[in-house]
Amino acid sequence: MKKLFFAFACLIPTLVFAQTIKTDVLILGNADAAYSSGLQVSRSGASVVILTQSHPFSLDKIKETKSAEVYKIYENVQLKRIAYIKDLEKKSTQTKKKNSAKNKVDSIKLFRVINDTTISAVERSGSGWEAKISKGKSIKAKVLIIADNNDQLSNLNITGLKPVHLSALNYTENLYRTTISGITSTSSFLSLYHLLIPDQENLLYIDPISIEIGQAAGATATYAAFFKTKTSLSNLKTIQSELLTYKLPLIPFADVKVTDSNWLAIQKIGITGILKAEIKNKKAFFNPEKEVTDEEIKQPIKDYYYKAQIWFDDHKDVPVNLENTVLLVSYVGNKAVDATKTELQKKWNNSYKFSSKYDLKKVLTRREFSVIINEYLKPFDQVNVDKTGRVIR
């Protein structure tokens, strides 16, 4: 989706202060979630306006009022935004040289904050939304995100709206496979299908203080805006992949940080449930250095691949060492055994950054197993799930 976002970014019209301002996404709010969702929209390549009614919104204010840890997050995303804008400007210059000025991009205005603005009404406008503001002006958007308290809802002719609710990681259900955000320092996650509001297309209503939920809402809104579709038709895998690109943990493992060299593979395998977290003190632990057992992986892999059932029937209670794992991925994934061994040996320390030695008799850790399964079977990338998280084969 990221590449598609960049391609579509060249088609975004310049925002101007006319009577009607047009944007892809309009965000109402001035707290953490509004800022993080706006940044995600702009980083994913869509135009966004954050509209505040009071307490002007700025990074300086956040620096003064938030903890050092939160501010570091904001600094990081701000730096990424600057880099992203420079990249867009470079792409725009290259496009201009090839196609004259037809597709000029005003990349700075992809992200805009309008402070202290009175909103008289928020109404439907076709499949999107229109916010009527002061002096007869209005803002039209394809998708509306409300990241504020109930004061904003008084402008909407909609009753009974509630902010999105979270789910606790629970492996008796498969909903965790539909996650679009893990919540830091908890075992809670946000399902895409809990973010979407029944009978209210292209409207997202989120808690104003959650950075992670804001980012998830931003990616979801951008998907609908770019592909000119309804939020109810959001593509789960595309949104998940976009958020992983921007280092948002979708499963909140407390013991695997985003700086971990195997973070992406562990996240993807965690989402599939092929390896499950240990829930302790209301936190989720992946235990990356713990050895893998046949019992914990057998049924989940069978759930994803028909051929795995045959392999496990022929290899009962075998240790999950490197050799047996190579045999498994080669059989299920139709790969040559010797070529797979050779490739793994080359990548073991250099590409995968494993600290152990390449040894076919070595029982694999959960980290090592995750990387191998992710690379050679790709269950997250190639196998879809339904709205309940059930595997579709």
Side-chain angles (χ1 to χ4, degrees):
M1 187 162 78
K2 183 181 177 185
K3 291 181 179 178
L4 285 173
F5 282 174
F6 277 126
F8 277 113
C10 293
L11 303 178
I12 298 171
T14 300
L15 290 171
V16 293
F17 271 105
Q19 287 300 105
T20 300
I21 300 170
K22 293 185 177 180
T23 186
D24 290 318
V25 180
L26 172 62
I27 301 169
L28 307 183
N30 67 347
D32 292 1
Y35 190 68
S36 62
S37 59
L39 280 171
Q40 185 59 54
V41 171
S42 68
R43 286 187 293 172
S44 291
S47 58
V48 59
V49 172
I50 299 178
L51 189 60
T52 75
Q53 289 184 279
S54 60
H55 307 295
F57 188 75
S58 71
L59 194 62
D60 289 337
K61 183 190 75 171
I62 294 165
K63 186 176 182 180
E64 292 169 3
T65 59
K66 301 296 179 184
S67 68
E69 182 179 354
V70 171
Y71 182 64
K72 283 180 181 178
I73 295 173
Y74 281 115
E75 281 190 314
N76 183 43
V77 292
Q78 182 73 343
L79 288 171
K80 286 183 178 179
R81 176 186 172 245
I82 292 169
Y84 168 73
I85 287 172
K86 288 181 178 178
D87 185 59
L88 274 184
E89 289 172 338
K90 181 179 178 182
K91 289 176 183 292
S92 178
T93 300
Q94 292 171 345
T95 302
K96 184 175 179 181
K97 288 179 179 178
K98 292 180 180 179
N99 303 316
S100 185
K102 290 181 181 179
N103 293 326
K104 184 178 179 181
V105 177
D106 187 346
S107 56
I108 297 296
K109 293 179 181 178
L110 285 175
F111 183 98
R112 184 169 219 158
V113 178
I114 303 176
N115 281 316
D116 289 327
T117 302
T118 300
I119 303 173
S120 60
V122 181
E123 301 172 345
R124 279 285 178 189
S125 177
S127 60
W129 295 88
E130 181 177 9
K132 295 183 178 180
I133 56 178
S134 58
K135 298 180 181 179
K137 294 182 180 180
S138 67
I139 302 174
K140 286 188 176 182
K142 298 171 185 174
V143 184
L144 173 65
I145 299 176
I146 299 177
D148 208 330
N149 55 33
N150 289 332
D151 293 343
Q152 294 284 9
L153 297 181
S154 63
N155 295 308
L156 280 168
N157 189 24
I158 300 173
T159 58
L161 278 184
K162 294 182 180 179
V164 64
H165 71 273
L166 303 176
S167 302
L169 194 57
N170 174 10
Y171 290 112
T172 61
E173 300 175 345
N174 294 320
L175 190 66
Y176 65 89
R177 292 178 180 147
T178 69
T179 178
I180 54 171
S181 178
I183 308 303
T184 304
S185 300
T186 75
S187 60
S188 297
F189 68 92
L190 170 63
S191 166
L192 170 64
Y193 304 107
H194 288 166
L195 176 65
L196 307 180
I197 302 173
D199 304 319
Q200 291 296 336
E201 294 292 356
N202 298 343
L203 172 64
L204 305 174
Y205 179 28
I206 60 176
D207 187 289
I209 62 172
S210 174
I211 296 172
E212 298 100 328
I213 294 177
Q215 192 173 346
T220 305
T222 306
Y223 180 90
F226 262 119
F227 297 108
K228 298 179 181 179
T229 188
K230 301 174 181 178
T231 45
S232 63
L233 300 178
S234 296
N235 184 284
L236 172 65
K237 290 287 186 179
T238 305
I239 292 170
Q240 286 178 325
S241 296
E242 179 75 357
L243 290 165
L244 288 172
T245 298
Y246 287 101
K247 299 292 186 181
L248 178 68
L250 304 188
I251 298 289
F253 295 131
D255 53 347
V256 184
K257 305 302 181 185
V258 296
T259 53
D260 191 301
S261 58
N262 306 127
W263 176 83
L264 183 58
I266 290 172
Q267 276 290 309
K268 287 184 174 182
I269 295 303
I271 293 168
T272 66
I274 288 174
L275 285 175
K276 297 176 172 60
E278 176 188 10
I279 310 300
K280 187 166 55 177
N281 298 325
K282 297 183 178 180
K283 292 184 180 182
F285 295 89
F286 185 72
N287 299 318
E289 311 313 326
K290 185 178 178 180
E291 290 185 347
V292 180
T293 64
D294 174 76
E295 191 60 33
E296 68 180 318
I297 63 165
K298 182 165 53 178
Q299 189 56 51
I301 294 181
K302 285 181 181 181
D303 291 341
Y304 272 82
Y305 303 101
Y306 287 119
K307 290 184 70 175
Q309 182 147 353
I310 300 172
W311 191 90
F312 280 106
D313 286 345
D314 292 340
H315 299 79
K316 295 183 182 295
D317 301 320
V318 296
V320 188
N321 58 26
L322 179 55
E323 185 163 32
N324 286 327
T325 302
V326 169
L327 294 175
L328 170 64
V329 299
S330 298
Y331 179 78
V332 174
N334 298 316
K335 303 179 187 303
V337 173
D338 289 341
T340 302
K341 288 180 180 178
T342 301
E343 188 174 44
L344 275 170
Q345 188 170 17
K346 290 179 180 178
K347 292 181 175 181
W348 194 260
N349 299 118
N350 294 330
S351 299
Y352 300 149
K353 308 298 181 185
F354 294 152
S355 58
S356 61
K357 293 181 180 180
Y358 177 87
D359 180 359
L360 290 173
K361 299 303 179 183
K362 177 191 185 305
V363 175
L364 297 179
T365 64
R366 290 161 65 88
R367 170 192 300 279
E368 294 161 347
F369 187 81
S370 294
V371 170
I372 294 170
I373 294 299
N374 179 64
E375 177 147 344
Y376 289 92
L377 293 184
K378 301 184 185 303
F380 171 83
D381 296 302
Q382 297 183 356
V383 182
N384 287 320
V385 298
D386 66 15
K387 291 185 176 182
T388 69
R390 183 181 62 86
V391 174
I392 302 171
R393 296 194 297 184

